[in-house]
Amino acid sequence: MRRLWPTTVRARATAGAGLVVGAALALASFSLLGLLEANLLRNAENDARRQAETVAQLAATGKLGRARPAGRAVEFVQVVSADGRVLFSSPNLVGVPAFPPAPPEAPGTRLHTWRVRPVDGDHRQRVVQVVTQTPDGPATVYAGASLRDADAADDVTTAALVIGMPLLLATVVLVTWRVTGHALRPVEAIRAEVAGISDRDLHRRVPVPATHDEVARLAETMNATLDRLEASGIRQRQFIADASHELRSPITVLRTQLEVALAVRDPELWPELIGGALEDIERLQCLAADLLLLARIDAAQPLTAAPLDLGALVREVVEARLGDRVPVRVDLAADVVVTAGALWLGRVITNLVDNAQRYAERGVDVTLRTAGGGAGPRTAVLEVVDDGPGIPGADRERVFERFTRLDDSRSRDHGGAGLGLAIARDLSTHHGGTLTAEDGAGGGARLVLRLPLTPLTPLTPPTPRTRQGAKSSP
């Protein structure tokens, strides 16, 4: 059965429309014929009943001789006594034997429909029999109305339906096939275009029909998806190029130092050469770790989150820092609970503090507070402010791009690969928060992390953290 069912949308829509319309037409045809038959039979019955009752009244009063011949609507009238004698009959029944007599019961009316050959040949008759009491005893009045008109109407209607219903059904099927094909033509064009798009042709777009309907919205959505895919491909290629460039420099320096160490035979110079090589290896290790973390973020790996005290996490991160160039001052509100992964959120705080310390002159201020309430949601606000050169307004979004270093004060000489703030923003977004650069009160950089608050529950203590050997920077 499944093999017989059409496989294309166009064929299925046409077949479905044909089946539904065919069933509806068949039901309507049978209903029409039934109603027409019932109406014509009722009209014939009423005519025969009136004639039979009129003759029965005359017979009951002994005036049967005054009965007139049947009218145009009634074909015949016959009055039969209880012993089977014909007391009266219409001219077209002269010489016809009496109909079967009715049993001697109380006067009443019985309705029958049968074929009566002496009148109108093969046409059916609607016969009404009325039993009445006459001066000579009980008698039965038969009045018959021809169903010639009903039969003719049935024949004409049936012929019209037999011819018209298939034509109407064929018209519906043809129109459905044409309209469905016209509606699905843009879908086929979209399919053909998408089938031809490869990873090297992400600049191509599907045609958008000018119909402003569901197909047009599908094409627009498909083009928006292709825009995102193209942007993602460009971003990945740029990321690979930047990562290759960043990896090439320390690898080249490391190779040079090792070649010099191999060429120099003076043991007194080896510690210095080996120390420089270790520094480059450490830089490579940190860069590789950052790249792996970005890959995990881009893969949208599920976050293992639990309610935790953000203030305790910030304090734990700050207290774990040893030998910082400038002090870190904290002002932390109590009972600020967020739902997050302690390890990844701790990485966000570490990157923000690392960035601030790298460019601060006298100190870094870390403030935690809450904001919002009322009609809006409440959020935790973590501010990291330094007194360094600050971030120009035009660059406050660019600093969150990967491998971005600002000129002069925020250059490669300060260390890092330009991934610290990019990782911090990506992780903040992964936690449902935001990370922005705003104006600092003293002209320095002010980075603001906002996270949605969580109702107070049993808290998860922050994961113990170890001091990282190198710091990431924007």
Side-chain angles (χ1 to χ4, degrees), residues 25-41:
L25 289 177
L27 179 61
S29 299
F30 285 116
S31 300
L32 177 61
L33 290 175
L35 291 174
L36 179 63
E37 173 80 6
N39 186 58
L40 293 175
L41 287 178

Side-chain angles (χ1 to χ4, degrees), residues 3-25:
R3 294 181 178 179
L4 299 177
W5 186 249
T7 57
T8 64
V9 174
R10 186 181 188 184
R12 286 199 298 269
T14 303
L19 290 176
V20 172
V21 173
L25 289 177

